[in-house]
Amino acid sequence: MKNKLKEQLLRRERPIGTFCGLNSPTAIECLGRTGLEFVIIDCEHSPAEAETAMELMRAAELSGLTALCRVRDLSRSAVLKLLDVGARGLIVPNIHSVEEVQQIIDYAKFAPIGQRGFCPTRKDGWGFDTERTTAETMAVMNEATLLLPQCETKEALEHIEEIVALEGVDGVFIGPFDLSIALGLPGQFDHEEVQNAFARIRKACREAGKFCFFFTGTAQGVADGFAAGYDAMVMGIDTLLLINGVKSQVEAAKKAMEK
Ligand code: 3PY
Ligand code: MG
């Protein structure tokens, strides 16, 4: 019940991941051969639900990728199902208050940190992974599960220092699109106000000893993000990587055909 991504983060290895939008186990197997460290199965912006997520997780595990999931909403079942089918971490979008984060901690972390419900499920090999007491499994799962609320609303930004201080929050995932929209500057990631917001979140995470994840669409963005001090970078979505990869090959082929 290890979390390879968490170990990489603790060793400051600068892991790179991507979102899944294709929702294809084969695509995930292919991603496992690219040098990426983790994938995020997206139950917020893609049609995937927990059952699909479970199949994608199997492919990720077989391919050496750590599988995180983004939850569809803030409900107990949205959180619990993804953890029970084996997600090694949850990204929680659209947070507006400290209370919402505390509620998510209660759903996602076992006592004494939260109040996660217990059942032998895929997460612990239906209880057959190792000979552990229930209390040991609870402690190991709490340790091996990354809980990453997103900071992408004005309210989350205003309370970011309180959010990162909560026991059970392992880090923050910045949603640059939604945060820039919330600040009235859609997509203007280089605008001073947006940059200041990113810097405030990074500082809050660093001071609280929590991880900070950032999303970018480009390879240069990944390098810039690590240089700015993020702990992990998420490079686009597999759908976009497919389009960009094939598009550049088609363009190269057409150029070669002109010679
Ligand atoms: C955002 O940019 O809003 C995100 O949630 C990134 O996936
Ligand atoms: Mg978002």
Side-chain angles (χ1 to χ4, degrees), residues 19-30:
F19 273 106
C20 301
L22 293 167
N23 294 332
S24 149
T26 306
I28 291 193
E29 285 183 323
C30 294

Side-chain angles (χ1 to χ4, degrees), residues 19-195:
F19 273 106
C20 301
L22 293 167
N23 294 332
S24 149
T26 306
I28 291 193
E29 285 183 323
C30 294
L31 292 176
R33 283 162 178 71
T34 60
L36 286 179
E37 265 86 31
F38 66 101
V39 287
I40 304 171
I41 298 158
D42 193 359
C43 297
E44 184 199 18
H45 282 294
S46 96
E49 299 290 354
E51 243 175 288
T52 303
M54 177 171 69
E55 305 305 337
L56 301 176
M57 270 171 223
R58 290 191 170 119
E61 287 161 15
L62 285 171
S63 311
L65 296 163
T66 302
L68 308 182
C69 284
R70 178 154 66 179
V71 301
R72 55 179 293 173
D73 56 42
L74 306 187
S75 66
R76 180 173 184 268
S77 70
V79 170
L80 208 51
K81 280 181 191 232
L82 290 173
L83 290 177
D84 278 346
V85 296
R88 280 290 173 262
L90 293 185
I91 318 276
V92 186
N94 199 33
I95 289 290
H96 286 83
S97 68
V98 180
E99 292 71 28
E100 275 177 351
V101 181
Q102 186 56 60
Q103 180 70 86
I104 294 293
I105 294 170
D106 285 348
Y107 296 154
K109 298 271 179 169
F110 289 114
I113 300 173
Q115 304 174 41
R116 177 174 168 188
F118 190 94
C119 181
T121 54
R122 183 170 186 277
K123 63 151 190 342
D124 61 342
W126 294 269
F128 284 84
D129 264 358
T130 51
E131 286 192 13
R132 284 200 185 99
T133 63
T134 304
E136 283 165 352
T137 302
M138 288 161 67
V140 168
M141 289 311 303
N142 274 355
E143 198 54 40
T145 306
L146 288 167
L147 187 60
L148 306 166
Q150 283 200 248
C151 188
E152 55 178 2
T153 66
K154 259 189 175 169
E155 295 84 355
L157 179 64
E158 276 159 19
H159 298 284
I160 194 64
E161 291 79 12
E162 293 160 75
I163 289 173
V164 295
L166 293 173
E167 186 185 12
V169 167
D170 297 288
V172 168
F173 187 112
I174 299 178
F177 280 100
D178 284 319
L179 186 55
S180 64
I181 292 168
L183 295 173
L185 298 160
Q188 296 182 53
F189 307 136
D190 291 332
H191 192 285
E192 199 186 343
E193 202 180 325
V194 180
Q195 283 290 322

Side-chain angles (χ1 to χ4, degrees), residues 182-221:
L183 295 173
L185 298 160
Q188 296 182 53
F189 307 136
D190 291 332
H191 192 285
E192 199 186 343
E193 202 180 325
V194 180
Q195 283 290 322
N196 287 344
F198 296 161
R200 176 173 171 182
I201 303 163
R202 280 199 306 272
K203 183 165 177 275
C205 287
R206 198 176 46 247
E207 289 182 357
K210 305 289 169 83
F211 303 120
C212 197
F213 284 54
F214 193 75
F215 175 78
T216 177
T218 66
Q220 186 58 51

